[in-house]
Amino acid sequence: MTQEINPYEMAVTQLVNVAKLIELDPNLLEVLKKPKRELIVHLPVRMDDGSIKVFTGYRVQHNDARGPFKGGIRYHPNVTLDEVRALAMWMTWKTAVMNLPYGGAKGGVACDPEKMSLSELERLTRRYTCAIREFIGPYIDIPAPDVNTNEQIMAWIVDTYSMMQRRNEPGVVTAKPIELQGSYGRTEATGFGVMVTARETIKKLNISKDKVTVAIQGFGNVGYWAAYFAHQWGYKIVAVSDSKGGIYNPEGLDPSKVLEHKKKTRSVINYPNAKNISNKELLELDVTVLVPAAIEEVITEKNADNIKAKIISEGANGPTTPEADKILYEKGTLVIPDILANAGGVTTSYLEWVQNLIRYYWTRDEVLSKLETRMVSAFEDVYRLSKEREVDMRTAAYIIAISRVAKAIELRGFWP
Ligand code: NAD
């Protein structure tokens, strides 16, 4: 998220623009502009040297008309209230476009995890959980990991929350370790969803499977698993990259071998039988599918004209700027927006939460099959509406999401 733009103002502008398109009741628009609840907590934590440091944490709950709040927690030095507000609103749209029975929330603590020991992180996490305890819970608000938070942090939250509630509550967070009632399939879910939506678009464009080429920016969790499934389905991965640069082989790359190389050398670059390329070159390759799965704002008005991919499936959050969106739409590039393409993670979080509530656990194949059904159905809704209204897929996704949330608020009414 660039610091010059206020992310919350950006999120509100997006909402206002879509509200105009759907002639949203101005009263409902005012409700949706503001989060339902914003918590700011100051967290005194004992550091390893014996001193006490006070961290500031947030939990913003944007809307829960469609179900309990849902959204990650990030640990980052630049976390601000406005950033968390924007991310909370985007979560409301993401869960709504996927038709999950959830609303949207986000949390964050301004801290630098790279400079903290594991035990400092544990004390911070437990203190934060304690501070927001009344406002989270399996039927209230279910956090998950985000930037710099992980399974271990979720495990500490489960433990702290369960101790305070005096009962075991695995459903208070998702993306937990398997040993603590996490779900099979959660690790690969986002990359899988990214590729499922790309595959559905490939079908719509009548491109035959053996002609599909794929370039992936970012070979982390999302990028690797997107590559893994693309390779399994017979698509040719011609390029992948990480922060150090990219590699290109028109004959195709085997993702598991590239991963081995990355584990050994800490990067994908200098992979045998491939040419090193820059991230800029990767984005501009003539491929069927481009998957930006690294950072935000990599496709801008500066390079949109040079993008040759037919389909862009947004693994990362916010990789395409609004100016680039316009250029790509006019060129006929199909952009599968982040709130749909990378929603495999939150959808599997939903499946994990369901398993926690019913205390019955599915196999990896069962989870991925349920995920696939949901991804395909959400994709169909968005694709159909984009054709009907002659708008890009991002606008269509927002129309669906905002209409669903507005309808839920309207049906519930205002009380008292
Ligand atoms: P990750 O840290 O596992 O991987 C990120 C990858 O991007 C790494 O290979 C890194 O080297 C590379 N990278 C970093 N900076 C880069 C740069 N400037 N140019 C090229 N590559 C660069 O992260 P992840 O979990 O795979 O997440 C990737 C993106 O997907 C993020 O935007 C994240 O918000 C989004 N996302 C992730 C999930 C999820 O479930 N993991 C869900 C939704 C969205």
PDB file of all heavy atoms in Angstrom, residues 44-53 55 113-124:
ATOM      1  N   PRO A  44       0.915  -2.842  26.444  1.00  0.00           N
ATOM      2  CA  PRO A  44       2.220  -2.875  27.103  1.00  0.00           C
ATOM      3  C   PRO A  44       2.787  -4.294  27.076  1.00  0.00           C
ATOM      4  O   PRO A  44       2.113  -5.233  27.501  1.00  0.00           O
ATOM      5  CB  PRO A  44       1.915  -2.450  28.549  1.00  0.00           C
ATOM      6  CG  PRO A  44       0.436  -2.349  28.660  1.00  0.00           C
ATOM      7  CD  PRO A  44      -0.200  -2.794  27.401  1.00  0.00           C
ATOM      8  N   VAL A  45       3.985  -4.424  26.528  1.00  0.00           N
ATOM      9  CA  VAL A  45       4.583  -5.757  26.385  1.00  0.00           C
ATOM     10  C   VAL A  45       5.995  -5.731  26.973  1.00  0.00           C
ATOM     11  O   VAL A  45       6.777  -4.813  26.694  1.00  0.00           O
ATOM     12  CB  VAL A  45       4.645  -6.160  24.884  1.00  0.00           C
ATOM     13  CG1 VAL A  45       5.363  -7.502  24.708  1.00  0.00           C
ATOM     14  CG2 VAL A  45       3.242  -6.226  24.289  1.00  0.00           C
ATOM     15  N   ARG A  46       6.291  -6.756  27.799  1.00  0.00           N
ATOM     16  CA  ARG A  46       7.651  -6.822  28.347  1.00  0.00           C
ATOM     17  C   ARG A  46       8.598  -7.371  27.279  1.00  0.00           C
ATOM     18  O   ARG A  46       8.365  -8.440  26.724  1.00  0.00           O
ATOM     19  CB  ARG A  46       7.695  -7.701  29.605  1.00  0.00           C
ATOM     20  CG  ARG A  46       9.049  -7.566  30.316  1.00  0.00           C
ATOM     21  CD  ARG A  46       9.085  -8.218  31.680  1.00  0.00           C
ATOM     22  NE  ARG A  46       8.158  -7.669  32.650  1.00  0.00           N
ATOM     23  CZ  ARG A  46       8.349  -6.544  33.358  1.00  0.00           C
ATOM     24  NH1 ARG A  46       9.425  -5.816  33.167  1.00  0.00           N
ATOM     25  NH2 ARG A  46       7.444  -6.151  34.239  1.00  0.00           N
ATOM     26  N   MET A  47       9.656  -6.604  26.998  1.00  0.00           N
ATOM     27  CA  MET A  47      10.623  -7.017  25.990  1.00  0.00           C
ATOM     28  C   MET A  47      11.694  -7.895  26.665  1.00  0.00           C
ATOM     29  O   MET A  47      11.792  -7.920  27.901  1.00  0.00           O
ATOM     30  CB  MET A  47      11.270  -5.792  25.316  1.00  0.00           C
ATOM     31  CG  MET A  47      10.251  -4.796  24.757  1.00  0.00           C
ATOM     32  SD  MET A  47       9.062  -5.519  23.594  1.00  0.00           S
ATOM     33  CE  MET A  47      10.038  -5.568  22.096  1.00  0.00           C
ATOM     34  N   ASP A  48      12.496  -8.561  25.838  1.00  0.00           N
ATOM     35  CA  ASP A  48      13.480  -9.497  26.401  1.00  0.00           C
ATOM     36  C   ASP A  48      14.500  -8.811  27.323  1.00  0.00           C
ATOM     37  O   ASP A  48      15.032  -9.436  28.237  1.00  0.00           O
ATOM     38  CB  ASP A  48      14.241 -10.214  25.266  1.00  0.00           C
ATOM     39  CG  ASP A  48      13.333 -11.184  24.519  1.00  0.00           C
ATOM     40  OD1 ASP A  48      12.249 -11.499  25.056  1.00  0.00           O
ATOM     41  OD2 ASP A  48      13.702 -11.619  23.412  1.00  0.00           O
ATOM     42  N   ASP A  49      14.768  -7.507  27.099  1.00  0.00           N
ATOM     43  CA  ASP A  49      15.744  -6.814  27.950  1.00  0.00           C
ATOM     44  C   ASP A  49      15.127  -6.302  29.250  1.00  0.00           C
ATOM     45  O   ASP A  49      15.755  -5.576  30.007  1.00  0.00           O
ATOM     46  CB  ASP A  49      16.398  -5.656  27.180  1.00  0.00           C
ATOM     47  CG  ASP A  49      15.390  -4.553  26.828  1.00  0.00           C
ATOM     48  OD1 ASP A  49      14.204  -4.647  27.232  1.00  0.00           O
ATOM     49  OD2 ASP A  49      15.787  -3.594  26.148  1.00  0.00           O
ATOM     50  N   GLY A  50      13.859  -6.648  29.492  1.00  0.00           N
ATOM     51  CA  GLY A  50      13.211  -6.275  30.746  1.00  0.00           C
ATOM     52  C   GLY A  50      12.394  -4.989  30.657  1.00  0.00           C
ATOM     53  O   GLY A  50      11.569  -4.706  31.522  1.00  0.00           O
ATOM     54  N   SER A  51      12.592  -4.213  29.587  1.00  0.00           N
ATOM     55  CA  SER A  51      11.834  -2.955  29.451  1.00  0.00           C
ATOM     56  C   SER A  51      10.397  -3.244  28.991  1.00  0.00           C
ATOM     57  O   SER A  51      10.105  -4.344  28.497  1.00  0.00           O
ATOM     58  CB  SER A  51      12.526  -2.046  28.436  1.00  0.00           C
ATOM     59  OG  SER A  51      12.449  -2.644  27.164  1.00  0.00           O
ATOM     60  N   ILE A  52       9.536  -2.237  29.146  1.00  0.00           N
ATOM     61  CA  ILE A  52       8.154  -2.376  28.682  1.00  0.00           C
ATOM     62  C   ILE A  52       7.993  -1.483  27.457  1.00  0.00           C
ATOM     63  O   ILE A  52       8.346  -0.297  27.485  1.00  0.00           O
ATOM     64  CB  ILE A  52       7.150  -1.898  29.763  1.00  0.00           C
ATOM     65  CG1 ILE A  52       7.264  -2.713  31.046  1.00  0.00           C
ATOM     66  CG2 ILE A  52       5.711  -1.882  29.232  1.00  0.00           C
ATOM     67  CD1 ILE A  52       6.647  -4.091  30.994  1.00  0.00           C
ATOM     68  N   LYS A  53       7.448  -2.038  26.392  1.00  0.00           N
ATOM     69  CA  LYS A  53       7.198  -1.243  25.191  1.00  0.00           C
ATOM     70  C   LYS A  53       5.689  -1.251  24.939  1.00  0.00           C
ATOM     71  O   LYS A  53       5.046  -2.290  25.085  1.00  0.00           O
ATOM     72  CB  LYS A  53       7.947  -1.874  24.013  1.00  0.00           C
ATOM     73  CG  LYS A  53       8.125  -0.921  22.873  1.00  0.00           C
ATOM     74  CD  LYS A  53       9.160  -1.436  21.901  1.00  0.00           C
ATOM     75  CE  LYS A  53       9.098  -0.569  20.663  1.00  0.00           C
ATOM     76  NZ  LYS A  53       9.944  -1.035  19.609  1.00  0.00           N
ATOM     77  N   PHE A  55       2.764  -1.001  22.379  1.00  0.00           N
ATOM     78  CA  PHE A  55       2.422  -1.100  20.952  1.00  0.00           C
ATOM     79  C   PHE A  55       0.969  -0.680  20.757  1.00  0.00           C
ATOM     80  O   PHE A  55       0.145  -0.863  21.650  1.00  0.00           O
ATOM     81  CB  PHE A  55       2.573  -2.548  20.468  1.00  0.00           C
ATOM     82  CG  PHE A  55       3.975  -3.058  20.510  1.00  0.00           C
ATOM     83  CD1 PHE A  55       4.473  -3.695  21.643  1.00  0.00           C
ATOM     84  CD2 PHE A  55       4.810  -2.903  19.411  1.00  0.00           C
ATOM     85  CE1 PHE A  55       5.778  -4.181  21.681  1.00  0.00           C
ATOM     86  CE2 PHE A  55       6.121  -3.384  19.438  1.00  0.00           C
ATOM     87  CZ  PHE A  55       6.592  -4.018  20.581  1.00  0.00           C
ATOM     88  N   PRO A 113       8.129  -6.969  13.308  1.00  0.00           N
ATOM     89  CA  PRO A 113       8.400  -8.354  13.721  1.00  0.00           C
ATOM     90  C   PRO A 113       9.819  -8.802  13.430  1.00  0.00           C
ATOM     91  O   PRO A 113      10.348  -9.677  14.119  1.00  0.00           O
ATOM     92  CB  PRO A 113       7.404  -9.183  12.921  1.00  0.00           C
ATOM     93  CG  PRO A 113       6.579  -8.246  12.151  1.00  0.00           C
ATOM     94  CD  PRO A 113       7.090  -6.868  12.299  1.00  0.00           C
ATOM     95  N   GLU A 114      10.451  -8.189  12.425  1.00  0.00           N
ATOM     96  CA  GLU A 114      11.835  -8.597  12.102  1.00  0.00           C
ATOM     97  C   GLU A 114      12.794  -8.262  13.240  1.00  0.00           C
ATOM     98  O   GLU A 114      13.856  -8.860  13.363  1.00  0.00           O
ATOM     99  CB  GLU A 114      12.298  -7.895  10.831  1.00  0.00           C
ATOM    100  CG  GLU A 114      11.788  -8.596   9.606  1.00  0.00           C
ATOM    101  CD  GLU A 114      12.258  -7.963   8.324  1.00  0.00           C
ATOM    102  OE1 GLU A 114      13.298  -7.287   8.318  1.00  0.00           O
ATOM    103  OE2 GLU A 114      11.549  -8.146   7.321  1.00  0.00           O
ATOM    104  N   LYS A 115      12.411  -7.257  14.042  1.00  0.00           N
ATOM    105  CA  LYS A 115      13.309  -6.851  15.140  1.00  0.00           C
ATOM    106  C   LYS A 115      12.867  -7.443  16.478  1.00  0.00           C
ATOM    107  O   LYS A 115      13.354  -7.045  17.527  1.00  0.00           O
ATOM    108  CB  LYS A 115      13.321  -5.324  15.237  1.00  0.00           C
ATOM    109  CG  LYS A 115      13.906  -4.658  14.009  1.00  0.00           C
ATOM    110  CD  LYS A 115      14.278  -3.219  14.286  1.00  0.00           C
ATOM    111  CE  LYS A 115      14.886  -2.583  13.052  1.00  0.00           C
ATOM    112  NZ  LYS A 115      14.173  -1.397  12.625  1.00  0.00           N
ATOM    113  N   MET A 116      11.888  -8.357  16.441  1.00  0.00           N
ATOM    114  CA  MET A 116      11.383  -8.915  17.701  1.00  0.00           C
ATOM    115  C   MET A 116      11.723 -10.400  17.800  1.00  0.00           C
ATOM    116  O   MET A 116      11.723 -11.111  16.789  1.00  0.00           O
ATOM    117  CB  MET A 116       9.860  -8.718  17.786  1.00  0.00           C
ATOM    118  CG  MET A 116       9.478  -7.244  17.876  1.00  0.00           C
ATOM    119  SD  MET A 116       7.713  -7.009  17.714  1.00  0.00           S
ATOM    120  CE  MET A 116       7.121  -7.645  19.264  1.00  0.00           C
ATOM    121  N   SER A 117      11.958 -10.861  19.027  1.00  0.00           N
ATOM    122  CA  SER A 117      12.219 -12.284  19.215  1.00  0.00           C
ATOM    123  C   SER A 117      10.879 -13.022  19.206  1.00  0.00           C
ATOM    124  O   SER A 117       9.811 -12.402  19.319  1.00  0.00           O
ATOM    125  CB  SER A 117      12.926 -12.515  20.549  1.00  0.00           C
ATOM    126  OG  SER A 117      12.009 -12.273  21.601  1.00  0.00           O
ATOM    127  N   LEU A 118      10.966 -14.343  19.111  1.00  0.00           N
ATOM    128  CA  LEU A 118       9.759 -15.151  19.093  1.00  0.00           C
ATOM    129  C   LEU A 118       8.958 -14.964  20.389  1.00  0.00           C
ATOM    130  O   LEU A 118       7.731 -14.872  20.378  1.00  0.00           O
ATOM    131  CB  LEU A 118      10.159 -16.623  18.917  1.00  0.00           C
ATOM    132  CG  LEU A 118       9.125 -17.524  18.284  1.00  0.00           C
ATOM    133  CD1 LEU A 118       8.752 -17.052  16.889  1.00  0.00           C
ATOM    134  CD2 LEU A 118       9.652 -18.962  18.209  1.00  0.00           C
ATOM    135  N   SER A 119       9.660 -14.889  21.515  1.00  0.00           N
ATOM    136  CA  SER A 119       8.922 -14.759  22.780  1.00  0.00           C
ATOM    137  C   SER A 119       8.305 -13.360  22.914  1.00  0.00           C
ATOM    138  O   SER A 119       7.226 -13.214  23.489  1.00  0.00           O
ATOM    139  CB  SER A 119       9.792 -15.121  23.977  1.00  0.00           C
ATOM    140  OG  SER A 119      10.972 -14.396  23.946  1.00  0.00           O
ATOM    141  N   GLU A 120       8.932 -12.337  22.343  1.00  0.00           N
ATOM    142  CA  GLU A 120       8.306 -11.000  22.343  1.00  0.00           C
ATOM    143  C   GLU A 120       7.046 -11.015  21.471  1.00  0.00           C
ATOM    144  O   GLU A 120       6.013 -10.454  21.845  1.00  0.00           O
ATOM    145  CB  GLU A 120       9.305  -9.948  21.836  1.00  0.00           C
ATOM    146  CG  GLU A 120      10.399  -9.633  22.856  1.00  0.00           C
ATOM    147  CD  GLU A 120      11.545  -8.778  22.292  1.00  0.00           C
ATOM    148  OE1 GLU A 120      11.700  -8.690  21.055  1.00  0.00           O
ATOM    149  OE2 GLU A 120      12.297  -8.222  23.094  1.00  0.00           O
ATOM    150  N   LEU A 121       7.156 -11.697  20.329  1.00  0.00           N
ATOM    151  CA  LEU A 121       5.983 -11.794  19.448  1.00  0.00           C
ATOM    152  C   LEU A 121       4.843 -12.544  20.134  1.00  0.00           C
ATOM    153  O   LEU A 121       3.668 -12.192  19.992  1.00  0.00           O
ATOM    154  CB  LEU A 121       6.349 -12.513  18.153  1.00  0.00           C
ATOM    155  CG  LEU A 121       7.005 -11.675  17.058  1.00  0.00           C
ATOM    156  CD1 LEU A 121       7.441 -12.562  15.915  1.00  0.00           C
ATOM    157  CD2 LEU A 121       6.048 -10.592  16.551  1.00  0.00           C
ATOM    158  N   GLU A 122       5.211 -13.579  20.883  1.00  0.00           N
ATOM    159  CA  GLU A 122       4.181 -14.348  21.591  1.00  0.00           C
ATOM    160  C   GLU A 122       3.493 -13.466  22.643  1.00  0.00           C
ATOM    161  O   GLU A 122       2.260 -13.436  22.737  1.00  0.00           O
ATOM    162  CB  GLU A 122       4.788 -15.591  22.255  1.00  0.00           C
ATOM    163  CG  GLU A 122       3.751 -16.342  23.075  1.00  0.00           C
ATOM    164  CD  GLU A 122       4.232 -17.667  23.651  1.00  0.00           C
ATOM    165  OE1 GLU A 122       5.353 -18.103  23.342  1.00  0.00           O
ATOM    166  OE2 GLU A 122       3.446 -18.269  24.421  1.00  0.00           O
ATOM    167  N   ARG A 123       4.285 -12.709  23.420  1.00  0.00           N
ATOM    168  CA  ARG A 123       3.669 -11.861  24.461  1.00  0.00           C
ATOM    169  C   ARG A 123       2.796 -10.781  23.830  1.00  0.00           C
ATOM    170  O   ARG A 123       1.712 -10.475  24.309  1.00  0.00           O
ATOM    171  CB  ARG A 123       4.759 -11.261  25.352  1.00  0.00           C
ATOM    172  CG  ARG A 123       5.413 -12.302  26.285  1.00  0.00           C
ATOM    173  CD  ARG A 123       6.244 -11.662  27.372  1.00  0.00           C
ATOM    174  NE  ARG A 123       7.462 -11.031  26.893  1.00  0.00           N
ATOM    175  CZ  ARG A 123       8.613 -11.677  26.661  1.00  0.00           C
ATOM    176  NH1 ARG A 123       8.718 -12.985  26.869  1.00  0.00           N
ATOM    177  NH2 ARG A 123       9.678 -11.024  26.228  1.00  0.00           N
ATOM    178  N   LEU A 124       3.269 -10.226  22.711  1.00  0.00           N
ATOM    179  CA  LEU A 124       2.473  -9.198  22.016  1.00  0.00           C
ATOM    180  C   LEU A 124       1.137  -9.791  21.531  1.00  0.00           C
ATOM    181  O   LEU A 124       0.067  -9.209  21.719  1.00  0.00           O
ATOM    182  CB  LEU A 124       3.265  -8.641  20.817  1.00  0.00           C
ATOM    183  CG  LEU A 124       2.497  -7.704  19.889  1.00  0.00           C
ATOM    184  CD1 LEU A 124       2.172  -6.386  20.585  1.00  0.00           C
ATOM    185  CD2 LEU A 124       3.287  -7.417  18.610  1.00  0.00           C
TER     186      LEU A 124
END
